[in-house]
Amino acid sequence: MTTTTDARRLLGGAADPKVLRELSGEELDALAQQIREFLIEKVAAVGGHLGPNLGAVELTLALHRIFDSPHDTLLFDIGHQAYVHKLLTGRVEDFDTLRQGDGLSGYLSRAESEHDVIENSHASTALAYADGLAKARQLSGEDDRAVVAVIGDGAMSGGMAWEALNNLGGAPERPVIVVLNDNERSYAPTVGGLADHLQQLRGQSDDSIDWLVKNSSRISAGEGTGGPLPVAHSLFELLGFAYLGPVDGHHRPSLEEALHLARELERPVVVHAVTAKGRGYEPAESEPDDRMHTCGVLDPATGAPAKKASAPGWTSVFADEMCALGDEHRELVALTAAMPGPTGLAKFGERFPERFFDVGIAEQHAVTSAAGLATGGLHPVVGVYATFLGRAFDQVLMDVALHRLPVTFVLDRAGITGPDGPSHHGMWDLTLLGAVPGMHVSAPRDAAQLRELLAEAVAYEDGPTALRFPKASAGADIPALERIGQVDVLHRSSVADILIVAAGPLAAPAIEAAEALQAQGIGVTVADPRWALPILPELTQLAARHHLVVTVEDNIRHGGLGAALTRALADASNATPLRALGLPGRFIPHGNRNDLLSQAGLDAEGITQAILRACAPEPFQPAKER
Ligand SMILES: Cc1ncc(C[n+]2csc(CCOP(=O)(O)OP(=O)(O)O)c2C)c(N)n1
Ligand SMILES: CC(=O)[C@@H](O)[C@H](O)COP(=O)(O)O
Ligand SMILES: [Mg+2]
């Protein structure tokens, strides 16, 4: 068992990674082992990205020994693999708070450390940051400060990475160092031509390093590379990079040699480090699906989950319904952006392998490829996390909706996700999709509705549809008292003063609030529009029969359900006042989903209090005080 004290002792207690350069090889090897033990113990206790970080121990040690952060800049793509970086930059003590409210972020955080740069956990951005930062360094005369971007083989399959490689490789005067952390996986094994190419490279000897070692004296003497590099045998060299690899990503001395050479070359370089996700922890190394890419609370001794999931999550309901619909609709196909497991589509893929496509971490490609599939007469379902759809908004708008193509988007992790923080909350999709002409968006309130609405969506051929649901258990089914058109009435009172329109699973706290208000003599109707956007005429008519309308959505208020219903009421020349409850238009930190919803006033108490405030007469204020 490694205690925080052990790790700090080995780290010399300093927040400055320079202490690493004073450690011997033996001490460094001992430190690597202690870091692994520390990670297993701490991440098993709270959950997190155990697999990726166990695979990045030696790599991160080498990076901090060869480069002088923060004078030199280390960029981590996604940032889920940066726990070791955090330990080496003074955050050992706080590690028990990982991914918890007010605690350490599970990604990089500029507020936490000057060593952290990219906070966005969306993949494939680091090389573009590196391109821009290198240009800034050059223009400000600081080109003695190295720019190093660590990117996984999964993230390297994203379009942005190739846009950046094009720019970086074409600028020999800007020596950006790309460290490709190749563990052959995103969650699942990586797929496609790049994955095949990297496999070839992994099988080749690291002759480029031998050559560079033999020529390093000329290089160090500032003669640059002199003659041509070894015959290009990688895609990267064809794009203008020097290629150093494959390097054993768990042999720190080899890594340090390659990184040192990369720095000496003074030109764009790709260092190809071959690592293993979950390295050094058998339960992760043998985990068949994703090598503990992300894990919940575990028994560290066995790797077994500490607690069983309570009710089935939304994802598993979706997974089962997709398989049922796949039997019924032969034209149904499914696409994922390297997340077959987390989106639940793996099950469909096992059942219908020829109708399932994993396109890599490439949401833009997924959407427009889906447009192609729909053009070919099929009905694609694109399964992505809500937050990642933002990257493919142009493709949704112009490649799908402009052509009124029958593509269904299933947005998992919609709304507040919780521990993954601001770039993972799926809190913009209603706003974005509400702006897409012809797009029909639903937010199922429970598992039964998810099944119903998914069946309606995949049968709809006149344009795109979307369903969204959160990272949570699906909860108990909420029966409708009646259905008016497409609108389900979930709660009603004899005197209908107020109408609460709830999107998705926020119907449950809305009903609780209605019951609390009824006990205070306030009559409330609760309605679930089922198809939330565009606004249904029957919803506008129902609203017009109430004195106050309150919308509740797990999305930002700007441009969401509330904004749309406000416009619909105005268009119908209806002056019924509307109070839109939703998330604030700012980035929301990581924390527990229910705590964050409560802080936003989106639990039963918050909804109740908001309505009481809306009903309370404004205290009279003499004109002079206004
Ligand atoms: C745009 C985007 N899509 C999907 C994800 C979800 N995601 C998080 S980590 C990950 C796999 C990353 O694989 P890789 O870059 O190889 O890093 P590794 O975990 O293997 O170290 C994915 C798909 C994301 N962060 N960003
Ligand atoms: C880093 C990343 O984008 C995902 O691994 C993220 O952690 C989602 O985790 P869940 O699948 O647990 O929501
Ligand atoms: Mg990988």
Side-chain angles (χ1 to χ4, degrees), residues 80 121 123 152-155 183 185-186 277 293 361 363 388 391:
H80 65 304
S121 61
D153 54 314
N183 52 25
R185 308 180 77 90
S186 280
K277 192 170 275 195
H293 172 85
I361 311 181
E363 285 81 2
F388 302 135
R391 170 163 290 184

Side-chain angles (χ1 to χ4, degrees), residues 5-13 19-20 23 27-28 30-32 34-35:
T5 310
D6 289 349
R8 277 190 71 71
R9 180 176 57 72
L10 263 167
L11 291 176
V19 298
L20 294 171
L23 299 181
E27 283 176 318
L28 287 161
L31 175 58
Q34 293 226 4
I35 287 175

Side-chain angles (χ1 to χ4, degrees), residues 150-174:
V150 179
I151 184 168
D153 54 314
M156 189 62 97
S157 67
M160 277 189 69
W162 291 90
E163 293 166 17
L165 286 174
N166 180 43
N167 283 276
L168 294 170
E173 73 281 8
R174 277 195 294 275

Side-chain angles (χ1 to χ4, degrees), residues 121-123 339 363 384-392 423-424:
S121 61
H122 291 197
M339 300 176 80
E363 285 81 2
V384 289
Y385 286 5
T387 185
F388 302 135
L389 187 74
R391 170 163 290 184
S423 56
H424 256 78

Side-chain angles (χ1 to χ4, degrees), residues 481-482 484 489-500 510-527 542 545-548 611:
L481 303 177
E482 66 175 310
I484 306 169
V489 174
L490 307 178
H491 180 279
R492 61 178 164 224
S493 312
S494 52
V495 177
D497 294 323
I498 293 168
L499 171 66
I500 302 179
I511 292 169
E512 274 185 67
E515 288 160 354
L517 291 161
Q518 191 160 325
Q520 299 186 46
I522 300 173
V524 181
T525 306
V526 178
L542 182 62
R545 297 203 296 271
H546 291 75
H547 301 304
L548 170 69
I611 291 174

Side-chain angles (χ1 to χ4, degrees), residues 430-431 433-443 484-487 499-503 527-544 549-553 557 559-572 574 578 580:
L430 287 179
T431 303
L433 296 180
V436 177
M439 171 69 74
H440 288 78
V441 185
S442 73
I484 306 169
Q486 280 292 325
V487 176
L499 171 66
I500 302 179
V501 181
D528 166 12
R530 297 184 74 252
W531 288 98
L533 296 172
I535 297 294
L536 298 163
E538 57 267 39
L539 181 65
T540 310
Q541 290 146 20
L542 182 62
V549 181
V550 177
T551 56
V552 187
E553 58 194 301
R557 287 189 294 272
L561 171 65
L565 185 51
T566 300
R567 268 198 316 279
L569 287 171
D571 293 349
N574 183 296
L578 185 146

